[in-house]
Every structure is written in C-alpha cells, then in structure tokens.
Amino acid sequence: MTATSSAIDRAAGWLRAGGLVALPTETVYGLGANAEDPAAVARIFQVKGRPPSHPLIVHIADADQLDDWVEEVPVTARLLAEHFWPGPLTLVLRRGRRVPLEATGGLETVAVRVPDHPVALALLSAFGGGVTAPSANRFGSVSPTTADHVRTELGDAVDFVLDGGPCQVGVESTIVDVTGEFTSILRPGGVTREDLEAVLGIPIGTPSRSHVRVPGQHPSHYAPRARVVLVEPENVVAEAKTAQELGHRVGVLLPASLTGAAMTAHAVVTLPDAMDSYVHGLYSFLRELDQQGCDLIVASPPAEEGLGLAIANRLHRAAGPRPSA
C-alpha cells in the first residue's frame, strides 16, 4: 500500500467535509464523494462535466454492508458478491433509502461494489460510509490509471488526490443487472462473462440496450483526443497508410499478430498478445498516442470473449460519435 495512514485519514476528512477525493481502485482512479451528501455528489457531476442523469457507483468496504444500501439482496447478488468481492464487479440493485437520487441519476436502482485495492478499502473503512466514485477524468475522455493522470486532467478541481500507485486491472468494473428475472451484463469489464457464467451456471446476456442506465453507456466514452477508427486486423496497415497519405498524424494500436509489419504511421504501439496485459495497458496506450501528437488512431478490436469483450467495448465507445462543438 503506497499511501500513508496519514494521507488516508486526510482523505477521509475531506469526504466528511463534503470534499472530492481522487482514490485508487484496482480498475481506474475514481473521483469520490460522500454517497449520502447530495451537494458533494453534485460536485462530481460539475467537475467531470457529467450529465446528471448518468448514475454513479457506490463503493463500500465490505459485502456485509450491502444490505445498508439496497432495498433487498436477491440470491444471485449474494452469490456474485461472495465470489467476486472485493473485485471489479458492480451489482445493480433496488435503491435503499440511504442512497440519494442525486447518486442514481434519478433512478430507483443503485450500482454498488467493493473495490479490490488496499488503499481504497482503508479509506472506506476510515471514512465509515459509502463513496460514490466515477472515473476521475472529464466526462467521456480516457479514464485515469495513475494519480498523475488525475492531477493532469482535473488539477485543483479535486480537493485531495490519494496516490495508490498504478491500477492493476486497467479498465472499469463489469456491471451486472440483478434486479429482474434475468441476469445481464450492462457493461463488460474486469470480470469476464465466462467467469460469471461459471459461478451462476447459466448463460449471461449482454444486451446492446437496457432500461437500466449505468456508467459507460454514452455513445462516445473512454475517448482520447485523437479520433479512433476501427478496422479488421488485416486492414490496419493499409488504413494507417491511407490516412497518413491524407495528411493525418496517425497512431496505430498494432495487433500482436502483425508485429514486424512495415508501417506508415506517425506513432505505433505494438499490443501485447496476452489479454490481461492488453486490458491493463489500453488507456495508457491511448494516452501515449495522444501525447505523441496523433490526430487519428487506427485500431482493431479483439474477439469478444474473455477480457477481449471489455477491450472491444472500450474501443467501440472511443470510436463513437463525438459531441458537436
């Protein structure tokens, strides 16, 4: 654990005072506020430029606290919490009275998880309550996986940055809806569909649309400054060459299968072959190509299985329609 006990106590003090604290989790850094303080929660939306209808995730210190925050806990939710908490899994349940509507985007459902990071857990224990914490970045941009990413993007808008080192998973949690008859993945993430199915013993759906709003559903999300173009693996080299000839400063996320290919591009990141290494580095790779001055990034989503589903989801959102200026 990199953060000192003194720093954790200071962060807890800021939360009690209605402040915003950037905290590390195993997925990405979160922008945290007291989940029971509507004014503090509202500051999160203001700082991020996040639509107020976009729900937040409530982070708690232990699965035993789940009953304090939701109306009821179905058997399926208990089973998933038992197997995957602490960890990168978020459960959507019926909102308990303790959760203000400001934190749920006005919905009667709430997203809850227990993070698997010693600093985050120490802060939650020291604070003694729930913490709403979306990613600590401007809405729609690449999520931060280090404390420096947070400082660079949000600066003095955050009252305290709690440095817990680089995040281990590298993308956000998997969000699972357990409010109805059927269990479904609303956002793929650090827990795979195959892992969930192995525990529940039933197929898990991944609907393209859901009546339950959750983080990460915006058409453009996780996006670098450069425009992202997605193609099939066999077309990456040709697409990069064409874009470069048209005057773009092209960055390429080069699949491991194409290592050594002759590239015409401004900057190239050769991707690791292992999916856990790819998902861990994805946001850093996108940031690196931004930093090298690329205005267009060519990439190819991996197969949508295992952690590849989370990577493909992030790349498709990053390539989504940009808001008008």
Side-chain angles (χ1 to χ4, degrees), residues 258-314:
L258 298 179
T259 301
M263 291 296 308
T264 303
H266 176 70
V268 177
V269 171
T270 301
L271 298 169
D273 192 36
M275 284 295 105
D276 58 346
S277 298
Y278 186 172
V279 77
H280 176 262
L282 175 61
Y283 291 151
S284 294
F285 301 151
L286 294 173
R287 286 178 181 274
E288 179 182 338
L289 293 177
D290 264 347
Q291 290 166 0
Q292 294 198 43
C294 299
D295 61 48
L296 186 145
I297 295 173
V298 178
S300 175
E304 295 187 359
E305 56 189 30
L307 289 171
L309 179 61
I311 297 169
N313 170 267
R314 299 315 190 270

Side-chain angles (χ1 to χ4, degrees), residues 59-117:
H59 294 67
I60 57 177
D62 191 275
D64 291 341
Q65 299 176 3
L66 185 56
D67 293 274
D68 297 337
W69 296 91
V70 303
E71 187 176 272
E72 61 177 337
V73 184
V75 173
T76 298
R78 294 268 187 215
L79 184 59
L80 292 176
E82 177 184 338
H83 277 81
F84 296 109
W85 283 0
L89 178 70
T90 294
L91 300 177
V92 176
L93 296 152
R94 299 295 176 189
R95 178 181 71 95
R97 294 182 180 180
R98 193 170 179 178
V99 184
L101 288 171
E102 286 82 356
T104 68
L107 299 177
E108 289 299 330
T109 55
V110 61
V112 186
R113 87 176 185 101
V114 178
D116 188 15
H117 194 293

Side-chain angles (χ1 to χ4, degrees), residues 187-211:
R187 180 183 71 184
V191 172
T192 69
R193 175 173 54 196
E194 292 83 354
D195 290 336
L196 295 167
E197 291 176 342
V199 169
L200 297 180
I202 57 173
I204 305 296
T206 54
S208 57
R209 292 182 180 273
S210 171
H211 69 283

Side-chain angles (χ1 to χ4, degrees), residues 60-263:
I60 57 177
D62 191 275
D64 291 341
Q65 299 176 3
L66 185 56
D67 293 274
D68 297 337
W69 296 91
V70 303
E71 187 176 272
E72 61 177 337
V73 184
V75 173
T76 298
R78 294 268 187 215
L79 184 59
L80 292 176
E82 177 184 338
H83 277 81
F84 296 109
W85 283 0
L89 178 70
T90 294
L91 300 177
V92 176
L93 296 152
R94 299 295 176 189
R95 178 181 71 95
R97 294 182 180 180
R98 193 170 179 178
V99 184
L101 288 171
E102 286 82 356
T104 68
L107 299 177
E108 289 299 330
T109 55
V110 61
V112 186
R113 87 176 185 101
V114 178
D116 188 15
H117 194 293
V119 174
L121 293 173
L123 173 61
L124 289 164
S125 295
F127 174 57
V131 173
T132 50
S135 56
N137 57 288
R138 302 294 179 188
F139 182 71
S141 65
V142 178
S143 302
T145 54
T146 70
D148 282 343
H149 292 163
V150 178
R151 296 185 183 103
T152 298
E153 185 155 355
L154 297 183
D156 293 340
V158 182
D159 297 309
F160 192 82
V161 177
L162 191 59
D163 193 341
C167 300
Q168 294 303 304
V169 174
V171 298
E172 293 79 1
S173 61
T174 301
I175 301 179
V176 175
D177 180 10
V178 286
T179 60
E181 182 180 355
F182 301 104
T183 302
S184 60
I185 296 174
L186 302 183
R187 180 183 71 184
V191 172
T192 69
R193 175 173 54 196
E194 292 83 354
D195 290 336
L196 295 167
E197 291 176 342
V199 169
L200 297 180
I202 57 173
I204 305 296
T206 54
S208 57
R209 292 182 180 273
S210 171
H211 69 283
V212 179
R213 295 195 307 272
V214 296
Q217 286 184 323
H218 195 269
S220 177
H221 221 84
Y222 319 113
R225 292 190 300 273
R227 182 166 64 91
V228 177
V229 174
L230 302 182
V231 297
E232 295 299 319
E234 62 270 20
N235 296 329
V236 168
V237 174
E239 182 71 22
K241 181 175 185 293
T242 299
Q244 192 81 7
E245 290 172 348
L246 290 172
H248 288 287
R249 294 168 65 87
V250 179
V252 178
L253 294 181
L254 188 68
S257 60
L258 298 179
T259 301
M263 291 296 308

